[in-house]
């Protein structure tokens, strides 16, 4: 306690010129030091906690909006305000209401206020720049009208175009065009009926080779790869240990499987081990029969947190407790690892040690669909039992060709080093953006190598303002709030791409710096140095 | 617990005090004791007596109840835990699939799966792909896709909410809504995920869904994801459905407050993929208003097939499309692209933009596939005669397949995807499938590409019988259809005897 008082005094002496908020923030730092919360080591995920006053303000912010919502609902009820929402048909007014009231309340009174920050239509390919179609609302965001103008050359910080394969270069897309000319776009049948084209099999062999595993199977939609294959792997009497922040598709798949689901804290190995231990000891609920199998489900890079899975620890736990591991590499395949082979390569782990490797083609490969890879027995089983193989139309041939071309490029079998250049460029860009943002005093979540960069805004009021102001500066970013994040942790998210040049990133950083001061979202208390640091190419050698 | 003990002590003390005063009086005059006691009993206020009564009962309870737990806590020691973990042996992640498993080795198609298709190296006429309108080979569609590829590349690299909304998506949605004559349409990037996401967007835990037994697998998965009560009615049996609705009505009268919040839905297919027949939509609409149930209609097989302008089963029956709460269809059959869509009134459809999981959390449809679908719609709008041609061909095929020895043709004459069932089952599904597969192989050798209808035996709620699928498309000529029917007949004679 005396230490605390001492630091108080020092703070008072040294920072008398600070505003009250900053002073409070400093006190918070000291509390953190006392709680032994130190800065993360290099390579570890960081989740800096916000100052207390931010949380208080955030709740207040929600409180005010909700009160206002009630007030406006009252005005609507007495007819003083016009309600723009689509209404139920007259004939069906006496049916049971289709929607619950709260759901609608949130949408009507909170989401509508900031609705213009999502679903912004674009009219170019989602490369490093894109063109956004300008829309305006004449009725306070209830409906939008396209003005016909476009906001051209907006820097794209929102698309998952990690390796820059979302491109329309005719030379690169030559083979894709050829396939389109030959095949058309559809397949009109499922894999098990007459939709199994030879190029599907070619793709699957290539994916397996790329990942360094025995076999792979590809599916038409990333989301469905999870939700339609997990039920084939586990069922009643099995246990799924799922990370608390897992993607909806994993949760849906787990739920559809009928297995028991238990949730461990995000990336928390103690929580996972405790759960493994207890589950094995106590067996199934009520009957106490032993579990048939236990499947751990994690994501390589989390799409909202930017955190990297603790793969070596999980593999050790999995071995110790004889569980199986399902690794969703939706955001990490292509995006991390010295040659873009995902988190297994990043940690130097043999990919064959992971039982089920899942990933999507939507992000790094600039296509659509997903894959599951692993041992031949696994893939054989999926070929005969996957819901997707039996009931869903097979992948579109041009999309398949795009994936093949992207993977070949990354592997270098196309005879160029372009793929590897992109992988390195992405890693460089990622570190650059992340370290600069941290220096500026933003709270940035996640791992230094993760190209998903969440910047915490906390207050819902800042979410809309931030995104709009960035668009004004011709930078397209993604903002997310409740319910996609915890209620107090609204954030902006940047996805770094290999296609971003240093100039683009510098422009983004400069805008962020200015805006961060304007809107006051530089909440970090780790600003140790105000000394500008010099950055040049050699700072980011990755071979160390 | 502590609280009750303290309270109890206080109460006990008052009892003892009262007893003490009684005993003092008793010592003073023995003969008055009984009288006084009775008197005191009469004089005491009622609450006092009740309190005492309760206390006495409490004491009796305390005397007879056990203060210790019979079952001792059985915490495991660390060592025991380790032993348990050591002993536990999980099942393998997946069971080994036998090499000759019927669905392990796929037929391989080299080249495009269009009218002429190369299956396992043999060039055949395609009677298996759902390319009803032959749009897969359409040069116009391909050119449109190519020009889209040139502009947008392939992937969208994001969900609709995060810069995954392209102008072509908006255009396709508008065009679909206009084509179906509804207020709004919403597109999904995967046909299967369309209805499977739409159902749980509306129907939640506690709600009731009435479903036809023949409903396809994606409906079943949607229902499972919704966690609602599912009540199956016999296939196309409106009496059975009405029986269930009446049952529910009686149930509702018992608890009208609860009934006011339980949403109800009927989920049917326009043209059943598993049964190859059409749902009795006019009757369903009548039941809808009688029992105040919403109707969700899956039209993957009937969109672009039934009706004068290919608008599906509503047009076929002349039902007002606004009477159907939600129509869902995929763009992978008649439109020969990828993805699916839902359409209906904005009040209903718009909700999916925040609640349709397959919409919100998945990357959007590659623009070139959306462009292809737009061009396919153009063709359908420009040449509505195409639907008449298809319907005539369906009728023709249906007729040609009648009387195949040993095989039963299942499906209505207007259906473009018929099922051929064994008239006499061998009694084992595996053997039935083998026989049917032999017919498929026989046909493949004679340039007729057919396929078995595939199901996951253990996953289906009501497993359809094994069958061969025969698909009719506008590209098939009269002669080709005759040839196919002839070929199937020969095979049946030869293999089924």
């Amino acid at each position: 306690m005396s230490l605390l008082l001492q630091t108080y005094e020092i703070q008072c002496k040294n920072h008398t010129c600070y505003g009250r908020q900053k002073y409070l923030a400093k006190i918070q730092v000291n509390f953190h030091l006392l709680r032994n919360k130190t800065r993360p080591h290099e390579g570890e995920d960081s989740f800096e906690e916000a100052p207390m006053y931010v949380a208080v303000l955030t709740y207040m912010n929600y409180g005010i909006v909700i009160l206002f919502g009630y007030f406006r609902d009252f005005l609507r009820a007495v007819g003083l305000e016009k309600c723009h929402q689509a209404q139920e048909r007259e004939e069906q007014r006496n049916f049971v209401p289709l929607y619950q009231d709260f759901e609608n309340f949130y949408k009507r009174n909170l989401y509508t206020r900031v609705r213009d920050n999502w679903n912004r239509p674009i009219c170019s390919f989602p490369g490093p720049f894109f063109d956004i179609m300008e829309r305006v609302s004449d009725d306070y965001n209830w409906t939008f009208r396209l003005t016909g103008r476009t906001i051209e050359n907006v820097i794209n910080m929102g698309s998952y175009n990690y390796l820059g394969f979302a491109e329309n270069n005719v030379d690169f897309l030559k083979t894709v065009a050829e396939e389109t000319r030959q095949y058309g776009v559809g397949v009109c049948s499922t894999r098990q009926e007459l939709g199994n084209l030879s190029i599907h099999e070619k793709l699957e062999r290539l994916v397996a080779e790329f990942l360094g595993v025995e076999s792979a199977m590809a599916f038409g939609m990333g989301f469905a790869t999870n939700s339609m294959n997990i039920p084939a792997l586990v069922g009643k009497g099995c246990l799924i240990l799922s990370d608390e922040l897992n993607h909806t598709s994993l949760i849906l798949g787990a739920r559809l499987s009928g297995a028991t689901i238990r949730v461990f804290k995000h990336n928390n190995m103690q929580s996972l081990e405790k759960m493994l231990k207890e589950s094995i000891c106590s067996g199934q609920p009520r009957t106490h029969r032993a579990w048939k199998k236990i499947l751990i489900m994690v994501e390589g890079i989390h799409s909202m947190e930017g955190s990297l899975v603790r793969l070596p620890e999980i593999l050790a736990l999995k071995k110790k407790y004889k569980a199986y591991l399902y690794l969703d590499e939706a955001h990490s395949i292509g995006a991390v690892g010295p040659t873009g082979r995902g988190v297994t390569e990043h940690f130097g782990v043999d990919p064959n040690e992971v039982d089920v490797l899942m990933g999507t083609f939507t992000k790094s490969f600039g296509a659509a669909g997903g894959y599951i890879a692993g041992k031949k027995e696994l893939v054989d089983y999926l070929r005969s039992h996957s819901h997707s193989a039996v009931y869903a139309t097979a992948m579109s041939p041009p999309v398949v060709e795009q994936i093949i071309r992207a993977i070949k490029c990354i592997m270098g079998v196309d005879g160029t080093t372009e793929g590897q250049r992109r992988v390195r460029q992405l890693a460089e860009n990622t570190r650059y953006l992340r370290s600069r943002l941290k220096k500026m005093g933003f709270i940035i979540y996640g791992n230094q190598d993760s190209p998903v960069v969440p910047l915490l805004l906390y207050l819902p009021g800042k979410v809309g303002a931030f995104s709009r102001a960035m668009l004004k500066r011709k930078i397209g970013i993604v903002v997310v709030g409740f319910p996609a994040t915890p209620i107090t942790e609204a954030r902006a998210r940047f996805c770094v791409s290999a296609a971003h040049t240093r100039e683009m990133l510098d422009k983004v950083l400069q805008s962020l710096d200015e805006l961060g001061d304007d809107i006051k979202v530089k909440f970090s208390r780790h600003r140790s140095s105000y000394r500008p640091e010099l950055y040049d190419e050699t700072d980011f050698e990755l071979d160390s | 617990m502590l609280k009750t003990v303290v309270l109890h002590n206080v109460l006990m003390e008052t009892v003892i005090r009262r007893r003490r005063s009684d005993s003092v009086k008793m010592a003073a005059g023995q003969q008055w004791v009984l009288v006084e006691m009775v008197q005191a009993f009469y004089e005491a206020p009622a609450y006092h007596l009740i309190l005492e009564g309760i206390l006495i009962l409490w004491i009796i309870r305390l005397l007879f109840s056990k203060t210790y737990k019979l079952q001792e806590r059985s915490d495991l020691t660390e060592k025991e835990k380790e032993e348990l973990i050591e002993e536990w042996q999980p099942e393998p992640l997946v069971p080994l699939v036998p090499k000759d498993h019927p669905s392990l080795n796929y037929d391989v198609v080299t080249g495009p799966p269009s009218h002429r298709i190369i299956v396992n190296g043999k060039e055949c006429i395609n009677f298996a792909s759902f390319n009803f309108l032959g749009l897969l080979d359409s040069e116009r569609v391909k050119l449109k896709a190519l020009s889209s590829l040139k502009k947008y590349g392939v992937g969208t690299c994001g969900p609709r909410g995060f810069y995954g909304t392209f102008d072509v998506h908006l255009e396709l949605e508008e065009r679909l809504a206009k084509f179906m004559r509804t207020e709004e349409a919403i597109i999904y990037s995967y046909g299967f995920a369309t209805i499977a996401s739409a159902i749980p967007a509306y129907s939640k835990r506690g709600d009731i869904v009435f479903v036809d037994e023949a409903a396809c697998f994606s409906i079943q998965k949607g229902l499972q994801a919704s966690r609602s009560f599912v009540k199956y009615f016999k296939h196309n049996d409106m009496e059975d459905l009405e029986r269930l609705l009446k049952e529910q009505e009686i149930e509702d009268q018992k608890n009208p407050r609860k009934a006011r919040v339980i949403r109800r839905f009927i989920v049917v297919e326009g043209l059943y993929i598993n049964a190859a027949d059409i749902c009795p939509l006019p009757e369903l609409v009548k039941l809808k208003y009688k029992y105040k149930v919403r109707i969700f209609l899956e039209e993957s097989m009937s969109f672009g097939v039934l009706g004068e302008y290919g608008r599906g089963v509503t047009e076929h029956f002349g039902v007002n499309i606004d009477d159907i709460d939600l129509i869902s269809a995929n763009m992978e059959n008649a439109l020969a692209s990828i993805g699916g869509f839902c359409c209906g009134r904005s009040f209903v459809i718009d909700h999916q933009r925040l609640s349709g999981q397959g919409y919100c959390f998945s990357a959007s449809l590659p623009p070139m596939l959306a462009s292809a679908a737009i061009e396919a719609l153009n063709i359908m709008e420009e040449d509505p005669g195409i639907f008449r041609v298809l319907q005539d061909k369906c009728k023709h095929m249906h007729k040609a397949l009648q009387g195949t020895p040993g095989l039963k043709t299942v499906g209505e004459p207007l259906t473009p995807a018929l099922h051929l069932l064994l008239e006499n089952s061998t009694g084992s599904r595996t053997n039935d499938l083998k026989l049917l597969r032999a017919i498929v192989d026989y046909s493949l050798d004679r340039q007729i590409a057919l396929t078995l209808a595939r199901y996951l035996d253990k996953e289906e709620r009501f497993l359809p019988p094994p069958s061969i699928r025969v698909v009719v498309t506008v590209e098939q000529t009269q002669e080709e259809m005759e040839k196919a029917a002839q070929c199937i007949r020969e095979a049946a004679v030869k293999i089924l005897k």
Side-chain angles (χ1 to χ4, degrees):
Chain A
M1 205 58 206
S2 63
L3 175 71
L4 178 69
L5 287 172
Q6 233 175 341
T7 41
Y8 267 158
E9 278 163 30
I10 295 166
Q11 293 302 326
C12 295
K13 266 183 217 159
N14 293 354
H15 299 282
T16 42
C17 54
Y18 270 78
R20 185 166 166 70
Q21 281 192 344
K22 278 193 180 164
Y23 170 64
L24 277 172
K26 285 287 168 189
I27 294 177
Q28 283 287 327
V29 175
N30 293 318
F31 273 112
H32 278 278
L33 289 174
L34 285 174
R35 277 189 273 160
N36 278 336
K37 280 213 169 169
T38 47
R39 295 174 72 168
H41 299 294
E42 181 117 336
E44 264 183 32
D45 293 358
S46 94
F47 294 98
E48 189 185 338
E49 220 171 287
M52 185 67 82
Y53 76 90
V54 176
V56 174
L57 282 179
T58 308
Y59 280 117
M60 271 172 61
N61 207 323
Y62 272 106
I64 291 166
V65 186
I66 287 170
L67 276 179
F68 235 84
Y70 279 117
F71 177 62
R72 290 184 63 184
D73 270 4
F74 168 74
L75 290 184
R76 283 182 196 118
V78 296
L80 285 173
E81 188 182 330
K82 205 177 143 204
C83 187
H84 299 276
Q85 211 164 11
Q87 296 296 315
E88 175 69 293
R89 259 173 112 201
E90 229 18 83
E91 293 93 318
Q92 291 181 221
R93 281 281 159 91
N94 54 358
F95 279 43
V96 175
L98 191 55
Y99 308 119
Q100 267 162 10
D101 211 42
F102 176 74
E103 215 177 341
N104 260 344
F105 179 86
Y106 188 83
K107 192 177 155 187
R108 195 168 52 227
N109 294 310
L110 279 77
Y111 173 65
T112 310
R113 288 172 170 276
V114 287
R115 202 173 152 179
D116 55 314
N117 297 303
W118 291 278
N119 301 306
R120 285 180 184 149
I122 69 171
C123 53
S124 69
F125 70 99
F129 288 111
F130 53 22
D131 302 338
I132 294 185
M133 298 160 83
E134 191 185 70
R135 356 172 246 186
V136 288
S137 178
D138 304 322
D139 48 7
Y140 305 102
N141 281 359
W142 284 104
T143 53
F144 291 103
R145 178 168 57 82
L146 293 169
T147 59
R149 286 189 292 271
T150 49
I151 311 167
E152 273 167 21
N153 291 329
V154 177
I155 298 180
N156 178 2
M157 295 303 291
S159 298
Y160 309 128
N161 180 23
Y162 299 126
L163 292 180
F165 282 108
E167 55 197 349
N168 65 357
N169 187 320
V170 182
D171 292 336
F172 291 153
L173 292 176
K174 218 166 79 193
T175 52
V176 181
E178 271 164 28
E179 297 294 310
T180 314
R181 242 171 253 128
Q182 193 195 345
Y183 286 87
V185 294
V187 179
C188 296
S189 192
T190 68
R191 287 295 294 278
Q192 286 210 355
E193 291 183 0
L194 271 194
N196 178 48
L197 309 187
S198 49
I199 51 164
H200 291 135
E201 302 204 329
K202 182 177 158 196
L203 170 68
E204 286 167 355
R205 281 192 298 272
L206 188 68
V207 169
E209 194 195 327
F210 174 65
L211 295 169
V213 292
E214 287 175 10
S215 201
M217 186 167 182
F219 306 91
M221 181 194 195
F223 185 96
T225 308
N226 279 331
S227 61
M228 293 168 83
N229 285 307
I230 295 168
L233 300 174
V234 285
K236 244 190 158 71
C238 301
L239 175 68
I240 291 175
L241 294 177
S242 167
D243 190 294
E244 63 177 338
L245 297 179
N246 269 348
H247 190 253
T248 318
S249 56
L250 288 164
I251 298 167
L252 179 64
R255 201 197 286 165
L256 291 177
S257 74
T260 309
I261 306 162
R262 285 182 190 155
V263 178
F264 63 91
K265 294 221 167 63
H266 179 57
N267 247 348
N268 186 326
M269 294 303 109
Q270 283 84 4
S271 169
L272 174 61
E273 174 156 26
K274 201 172 143 219
M275 213 161 264
L276 274 166
K277 201 181 243 179
E278 275 168 17
S279 302
I280 295 174
C281 291
S282 59
Q284 297 182 33
R286 277 186 353 104
T287 61
H288 295 287
R289 256 185 221 131
W291 296 104
K292 284 184 185 158
K293 49 197 166 192
I294 298 178
L295 185 68
I296 303 169
M297 289 195 327
V298 289
E299 286 184 57
I301 286 181
H302 191 272
S303 62
M304 289 293 164
E305 306 289 314
S307 52
L308 212 66
V309 68
R310 292 162 172 266
L311 193 60
E313 287 98 323
I314 290 188
L315 282 174
L317 283 180
K318 156 197 134 61
K319 259 178 226 150
K320 184 173 171 197
Y321 294 97
K322 287 167 273 189
Y324 299 107
L325 178 60
Y326 187 106
L327 176 64
D328 178 341
E329 292 220 72
H331 287 267
S332 54
I333 190 66
V336 291
T339 62
R341 281 161 171 86
V343 279
T344 49
E345 197 192 23
H346 177 85
F347 288 107
V349 174
D350 180 4
N352 288 296
E353 285 187 35
V354 181
D355 301 281
V356 189
L357 284 164
M358 180 270 167
T360 64
F361 300 126
T362 319
K363 285 120 196 167
S364 298
F365 306 108
Y371 66 83
I372 284 192
K375 295 254 165 3
K376 188 169 180 302
E377 297 92 76
L378 168 79
V379 175
D380 276 355
Y381 186 77
L382 287 180
R383 280 170 81 85
S384 45
H385 292 84
S386 159
H387 298 181
S388 190
V390 185
Y391 297 102
T393 304
M395 284 173 90
S396 163
V399 176
V400 170
E401 183 54 38
Q402 160 78 4
I403 304 162
I404 291 177
R405 142 187 120 78
I407 295 183
K408 276 186 174 167
C409 182
I410 301 170
M411 289 171 77
V413 289
D414 62 344
T416 68
T417 53
E418 174 63 13
Q420 283 314 301
R421 188 197 65 76
R422 290 185 185 198
V423 172
R424 290 171 69 99
Q425 187 67 49
L426 174 65
E428 239 174 62
N429 287 352
T430 300
R431 288 208 172 181
Y432 180 67
L433 187 78
R434 276 185 168 272
S435 57
R436 288 285 309 269
L437 285 175
K438 274 199 177 162
K439 287 274 147 47
M440 285 176 189
F442 291 106
I443 294 189
I444 302 292
Y445 273 5
N447 192 285
Q448 60 171 3
D449 290 318
S450 143
V452 179
V453 186
L455 184 156
L456 274 286
L457 301 172
Y458 298 103
L459 287 92
K462 303 205 177 203
V463 169
F466 195 73
S467 176
R468 285 172 200 143
M470 284 299 272
L471 186 60
K472 236 175 226 155
R473 290 159 199 257
K474 285 199 160 193
I475 297 165
I477 60 160
V478 165
V479 283
V480 274
F482 182 76
T485 65
I487 197 149
T488 56
E489 293 188 11
R491 63 193 69 176
R493 185 191 60 185
F494 313 112
C495 289
V496 183
S497 166
H500 289 138
T501 59
R502 187 54 66 86
E503 291 75 50
M504 289 179 205
L505 292 181
D506 280 337
K507 193 190 162 200
V508 171
L509 284 164
Q510 197 202 334
S511 303
L512 282 172
D513 197 16
E514 291 163 19
L515 206 59
D517 290 328
D518 280 359
I519 305 188
K520 299 222 167 10
V521 285
K522 292 183 174 175
F523 293 119
S524 175
R525 292 149 303 176
H526 286 162
R527 260 175 294 171
S528 51
S529 159
Y530 290 92
R531 185 160 43 94
E533 283 191 27
L534 293 170
Y535 293 91
D536 64 316
E537 306 296 328
T538 52
D539 281 357
F540 300 98
E541 270 306 324
L542 292 160
D543 291 335
S544 57
Chain B
M1 192 62 206
L2 193 69
K3 234 186 201 169
T4 50
V5 169
V6 171
L7 188 70
H8 185 230
N9 284 351
V10 172
L11 288 172
M12 284 300 280
E13 228 161 82
T14 55
V15 174
I16 291 162
R17 257 189 227 143
R18 186 170 165 75
R19 296 257 162 86
R20 230 179 252 152
S21 67
D22 283 351
S23 58
V24 171
K25 279 176 195 164
M26 256 193 272
Q30 285 281 328
Q31 64 264 52
W32 294 106
V33 169
L34 261 177
V35 183
E36 258 189 49
M37 268 176 78
V38 175
Q39 247 178 0
F41 193 78
Y42 274 110
E43 279 164 16
Y47 76 88
H48 199 107
L49 292 175
I50 292 166
L51 189 70
E52 293 231 3
I54 291 169
L55 283 171
I56 290 163
L57 287 175
W58 184 249
I59 291 162
I60 293 168
R61 220 206 100 170
L62 280 177
L63 282 175
F64 287 96
S65 69
K66 292 189 180 79
T67 52
Y68 54 92
K69 271 189 190 153
L70 262 182
Q71 206 179 352
E72 272 177 45
R73 286 177 63 88
S74 56
D75 279 343
L76 296 168
T77 62
E78 275 307 306
K79 196 166 164 266
E80 283 170 322
K81 277 186 185 170
E82 264 165 39
E83 279 170 7
L84 276 171
I85 290 163
E86 195 61 40
E87 278 165 29
W88 181 63
Q89 276 308 329
E91 284 178 9
L93 179 61
V94 287
L96 207 61
V97 184
K99 280 227 157 52
D100 58 342
H101 191 281
S103 47
L104 177 60
N105 301 304
Y106 299 170
D107 293 319
V108 182
V109 175
T110 32
S114 44
H115 178 52
R116 297 214 161 260
I117 184 171
I118 302 167
V119 186
N120 301 335
K122 294 164 203 148
E123 195 186 322
C124 302
I125 299 157
N126 193 343
F127 281 88
S129 305
F130 297 131
N131 179 18
F132 304 134
L133 301 177
L135 294 174
L136 189 60
D137 326 307
S138 159
E139 272 314 306
R140 274 180 66 182
V141 173
K142 285 182 188 174
L143 284 177
K144 187 78 186 273
L146 278 171
S147 69
S148 180
L149 174 71
K150 217 169 169 184
K151 184 171 177 199
Y152 301 102
V154 181
T156 59
C157 286
R160 286 290 295 266
F162 304 156
Y163 305 106
T165 301
F166 285 56
D167 47 357
V168 276
H169 294 136
L170 299 178
E171 188 188 344
L172 177 57
E173 282 176 349
E174 209 183 299
R175 288 295 306 278
L176 283 165
K178 205 177 118 213
F179 181 83
M180 293 298 283
R181 297 184 173 167
T182 54
E183 285 176 16
E184 195 168 338
I186 178 170
I187 51 172
Y188 283 76
S189 55
Y190 202 48
F192 188 95
T194 312
I195 189 74
S197 293
I199 293 173
Y202 304 98
S203 186
K204 308 280 178 192
R205 197 191 285 274
D207 296 338
I208 302 171
V209 191
F210 301 91
V211 190
D212 193 293
E213 281 184 356
C216 66
F217 197 70
S218 52
I219 292 180
Q220 294 173 38
K221 286 291 124 180
L223 293 172
Q224 201 188 337
S226 76
R227 298 189 271 193
S228 310
F229 286 117
V230 182
K231 299 195 171 180
Y232 285 96
F233 59 90
K234 291 206 182 72
H235 175 54
N236 271 352
D237 186 341
M238 290 303 106
E239 277 167 30
D240 198 38
L241 172 60
E242 187 154 17
R243 179 183 63 80
L244 289 174
L245 289 166
K246 267 193 185 134
E247 262 176 30
Q248 187 53 42
E249 201 175 41
I250 294 165
E251 200 65 34
D252 287 346
Q253 278 158 2
K254 280 186 205 156
N255 194 348
R257 270 185 69 177
K258 194 175 154 201
R260 250 177 278 149
V261 293
I262 300 176
R263 284 165 284 221
R264 303 116 216 274
F265 305 91
I266 298 173
V267 181
V268 286
E269 274 179 76
L271 208 161
Y272 285 89
I273 185 168
N274 293 347
D277 51 8
I278 301 168
C279 73
L281 199 59
E283 281 88 340
L284 282 163
V285 172
K286 266 182 218 148
L287 289 177
K288 165 185 167 160
Y289 287 107
K290 191 168 171 196
Y291 294 96
K292 303 193 173 50
V293 196
R294 296 170 196 274
I295 298 181
F296 285 3
L297 182 62
E298 217 301 318
E299 289 221 71
S300 287
M301 297 302 277
S302 47
F303 171 76
V305 173
L306 293 181
E308 201 187 337
Y309 294 95
R311 290 193 190 102
V313 74
T314 46
E315 193 184 34
H316 175 77
F317 283 114
V319 168
N320 177 7
I321 202 154
D322 281 339
D323 281 334
I324 311 300
D325 292 85
L326 180 139
I327 290 177
S328 125
N330 70 31
M331 304 190 281
E332 295 164 352
N333 300 343
L335 280 179
S337 181
I338 296 286
F341 70 93
C342 285
C343 62
R345 303 187 303 277
S346 291
F347 174 72
V348 180
I349 299 301
D350 189 56
H351 182 65
Q352 286 177 57
R353 298 197 192 272
L354 282 182
S355 305
Q357 289 200 331
Y359 177 88
C360 297
F361 298 102
S362 162
S364 53
L365 187 66
M368 65 184 297
L369 304 181
S371 297
I374 292 172
E375 191 62 25
L377 272 178
N378 284 340
I379 296 174
M380 281 162 67
E381 279 181 350
E382 282 164 28
D383 178 23
I386 196 171
F387 305 110
R388 194 55 199 271
V389 173
L390 178 66
Q391 286 157 14
D392 286 344
K393 290 201 168 162
C394 291
K395 281 183 209 157
H396 185 86
M397 192 67 186
H398 187 262
K399 208 166 146 201
L401 285 172
Q402 297 299 320
T404 310
L407 287 176
K408 195 162 56 181
T409 313
V410 171
E412 282 182 30
L414 279 177
T415 315
L418 293 156
H419 288 275
L420 294 175
L421 262 58
L422 285 177
E423 238 159 30
N424 304 307
S425 165
T426 56
S428 122
R429 195 173 173 92
T430 327
N431 289 341
D432 285 1
L433 279 170
K434 268 187 193 146
L435 280 177
L436 291 172
R437 178 73 216 188
I439 295 175
V440 170
D441 285 337
Y442 182 93
S443 310
L444 274 179
D445 287 335
R446 283 154 191 80
Q447 282 96 47
I448 303 295
L450 299 170
T451 180
L452 295 176
R454 303 283 196 158
Y455 306 102
L456 286 172
D457 298 6
K458 287 188 189 123
E459 307 282 332
E460 287 276 355
R461 185 70 169 65
F462 299 96
L463 183 62
S467 66
I468 296 174
R469 219 193 278 287
V470 183
V471 179
V472 184
T473 72
V474 288
E475 288 175 300
Q476 292 154 4
T477 61
Q478 203 105 333
E479 296 80 61
E480 283 166 343
M481 284 197 276
E482 295 292 349
K483 190 185 162 199
Q486 182 59 34
C487 175
I488 294 167
R489 205 167 296 134
E490 276 171 33
V493 169
K494 207 156 183 188
I495 291 153
L496 302 176
K497 281 184 210 131

